[in-house]
Amino acid sequence: MRSTLLPPPTEAPPAPPAPPQSTRRAARTAPVRLPARRWALDLGAVALLLLVPVIGFWPTFGGPAVLIAGLGGLALGLGIAVVGTLRRWGVLLLAAAVVVAYFVFGAAFALPHTALLGVIPTLETLRLLAVGVVTSWKSLLTTVAPVSYEDGHLIVPFLLILIFTVLAASLALRVRPPAWALLPAGACLALQIALGTSEPAAPIIQGVMLAVVAIVWLALREAWAPTRSAISLSSEDERTEDRRHVVRRVGAAAGVLAVACAAGGASTLLAPPNEVRYVIRDVIIPPFDIRQFPSPLQDFRIYVDKFADTPLFTVTGLPAGARVRLGTMDAYSGVVYNVAESSSAFTPLRSNMAGDAEGRTAELRVEIGAYSDVWLPDAGHVDAVRFEGADAEDLRRATYFNPSTGTGIVTTGLSEGDAYTVTAVIPDEPSESELAEDRFADVEIPRPNAVPEKLGELASDAISEAEARTPIEKVKALETFLFESGYFSHGIEEGEYSPSGHGSARLASMVSADQLVGDDEQYATLMALMANEVGIPARVVMGFHAGEDARGELVANGDNLHAWVEVAFAESGWVAFDPTPDEDKEPKDQTTQPKTDPQPMPLQPPPPPKEEADEPPLVPEDRESEDEADPLPGYLGLILAIGGISLGTIALLLAPFVIIGGLKAARRRKRREAPVPADRISGGWEELTDRAADFGRAVPIGATRYEQSAHLTPALEEPRVTTLALRADASVFGPGEPTPGEIEAFWAEVDEVVGGMNRKASFWTRLKARLNVRSLAKGSSLATRVRSLRETVSARRKEG
């Protein structure tokens, strides 16, 4: 029968004395020394890998502001990883360093507008940073891009890049193989894509950078790894062998890159065009449907009749000549002028909506009086809206805005007592000379439906009679035609014939009468439709203005309510025109009925009641039933998204613990299931030494098992360690292979020794040991090669 012990224990060298506790502590805390090229290679590769998601956040913020947060988090993460590697910090110390860096530097990189001098955190900064760990994800996803950094959205890229940089850099510097560092880098990129927009920043540059950096880095790391041979080589031969090793690895990396580029090019050619990338915000933010709200132009005559002297709202801070807008209409259905469904880019309220608009910046304060509707009074190019009062947050969440038309809507409605401040850019009115050299802008205007046939003929005749050639001359010809040939009447006085509405029937009867009679509602609609008939991009705007004399304050009421036309010019933008005649230009008489051609006919029965085509339903019945029948999916999607983000945040914080535990469990399973029985015994001894190293017990790398047991026996106060070392040597170097029973008995005794270490340690020591990555860092590097070389030499000596 084969003996399981090495024959004479006296042949083993005497056990060296155990080092004192202070020496062991100094060894554990001694700084890590790595070659300079290793530092430069690993840190440079991690920086380039994490730069890819930083670039990916650019469309979300629409500018370079995200680079401040992303690069700041990247630099801090690299610094923490370097210090942690030099000082041999565990996971708990690294996590504490990340928390401290987040709160200390979050003011400068994520919330500079709340900090003193842009860098010193205030109490408000610390509060927002603490709350932003949980709420910033939802805030970013529920705000339509491009988002503003002033709303605290930079917390997301700063925190994301900081955490994943620390993970990636720490794994690159400490763990073998270095490919483990690609996991946090890839996870960071995946989260950036999920949190970003459906439009990628620079997909080709990002993909090429990620692939090239990863392949070149891994190839160089493997090429620069120290090579050892069982045969002693001269220094010159060793250098030659190292150079050949580097050339082989770099050549292999170049081949992989060539194959990857060829595969990428082929897949690009074969991929379907215009592929849509789905992100989380597409699920959380449902499209806004303007069809559920009636056009503000339908209520024009109601305001004029019932609120002529009643203050609807008051606007202060209004520049001279500026107009207050309620709504912009650009889609005509033949019944009503409304906001177009195809161009209604209504998004939740956010900051920096004016973009690059030019003009005078104004702060307007609006106080609501008798006004009670959903349309938000504003002016110019709105940059931001800030509500006041106890229900300010509810109003903000219920507000949607369309920057292209300057129209805002509060779904819950405004009521008396509400107040808000509008930061707007009021454009300068272009001069006649500027308009004379300008051309029409190439903008998309929905084609009007059911336009009276006579309007196109009237527009052409007006332009021909005025001999208009330039774009501005054509617009002025239409404006002048209506202004000079028309008469003004609201139709609210007894005896006046001027029905309300602006449907196709109302306009057809208006232009076929002896005199053009109407008010702003009809004249603005007429000019916009006539302009569109001859190819001029025009739309209707309803709002308030008191003329050029109004300064500072406007009290909106039915008396100063107006509707006008805006025409799009390439350089001047949307320019306002007023085709409505002066209010004192009343019709000469009341024979304004449509022309008729009476014929002698016998007495006929009375006609059926006239259908009121100008009064469309405020909300389509099918739309209302659809909304009432299925109110749940929107809320359900929001709840699921918030829950998913919360779980993702928790998983992100627990990721280091799960990764380390998984690596150690996989290593143990690999050792127990090794294909060679002797390797299972050897793996059991390695499991024992690794667990001892995690508990802070120094294990000399490169020593024999007996030499290692001599260090561990007094440190662990466990005499069975020496016996296990001798049994492992006998199984590896002795004749035959160990039986499955011997392997199971060996591992059972190893587990008993490890269990004894756990029982003797405190709770925090056990937790620290489970999270210690020291054994992972040494597991498969030079120590394994040296040990394998020594075992081979010993076996050959024994055979000789």
Side-chain angles (χ1 to χ4, degrees), residues 122-140:
T122 61
L123 292 178
E124 177 66 11
T125 304
L126 297 178
R127 185 189 70 82
L128 292 176
L129 288 172
V131 175
V133 174
V134 179
T135 63
S136 59
W137 315 90
K138 172 189 172 184
S139 179
L140 178 67

Side-chain angles (χ1 to χ4, degrees), residues 510-532:
M510 179 178 176
V511 297
S512 62
D514 292 333
Q515 303 177 88
L516 286 174
V517 179
D519 56 13
D520 299 61
E521 179 184 4
Q522 289 81 39
Y523 283 107
T525 304
L526 271 178
M527 179 178 173
L529 294 178
M530 292 169 65
N532 281 285

Side-chain angles (χ1 to χ4, degrees), residues 623-679:
R623 180 70 186 180
E624 183 178 2
S625 60
E626 178 184 344
D627 292 342
E628 292 178 356
D630 194 17
L632 183 59
Y635 294 101
L636 181 59
L638 179 60
I639 293 173
L640 292 177
I642 296 174
I645 294 173
S646 302
L647 293 177
T649 304
I650 296 174
L652 182 64
L653 297 176
L654 295 178
F657 307 94
V658 176
I659 291 175
I660 294 173
L663 291 177
K664 290 185 178 182
R667 180 186 62 187
R668 175 184 172 88
R669 184 169 55 255
K670 181 179 179 181
R671 288 169 174 171
R672 292 210 62 168
E673 299 174 358
V676 180
D679 290 342

Side-chain angles (χ1 to χ4, degrees), residues 96-119:
V98 170
V99 173
V100 172
Y102 171 72
F103 282 99
V104 172
F105 295 96
F109 296 130
L111 298 171
H113 58 287
T114 66
L116 295 176
L117 303 178
V119 295

Side-chain angles (χ1 to χ4, degrees), residues 431-470:
S431 62
E432 294 290 340
S433 59
E434 292 174 339
L435 291 174
E437 300 177 356
D438 209 343
R439 67 184 188 283
F440 294 129
D442 185 14
V443 296
E444 183 179 354
I445 298 292
R447 184 172 183 82
N449 295 319
V451 179
E453 297 180 359
K454 194 173 183 180
L455 296 191
E457 181 182 348
L458 286 177
S460 299
D461 292 344
I463 293 174
S464 299
E465 291 178 4
E467 298 182 353
R469 297 291 183 268
T470 64

Side-chain angles (χ1 to χ4, degrees), residues 142-208:
T142 54
T143 303
V144 176
V147 301
S148 173
Y149 76 93
E150 293 182 355
D151 295 334
H153 299 305
L154 285 177
I155 291 178
V156 173
F158 174 65
L159 181 59
L160 197 68
I161 300 300
L162 174 61
I163 292 176
F164 281 102
T165 301
V166 173
L167 289 175
S170 298
L171 291 175
L173 294 172
R174 300 189 188 194
V175 177
R176 293 270 303 178
W180 286 110
L182 297 179
L183 291 180
C188 184
L189 179 60
L191 282 176
Q192 178 272 309
I193 293 174
L195 297 171
T197 63
S198 56
E199 293 294 332
I204 298 178
I205 296 177
Q206 288 179 287
V208 171

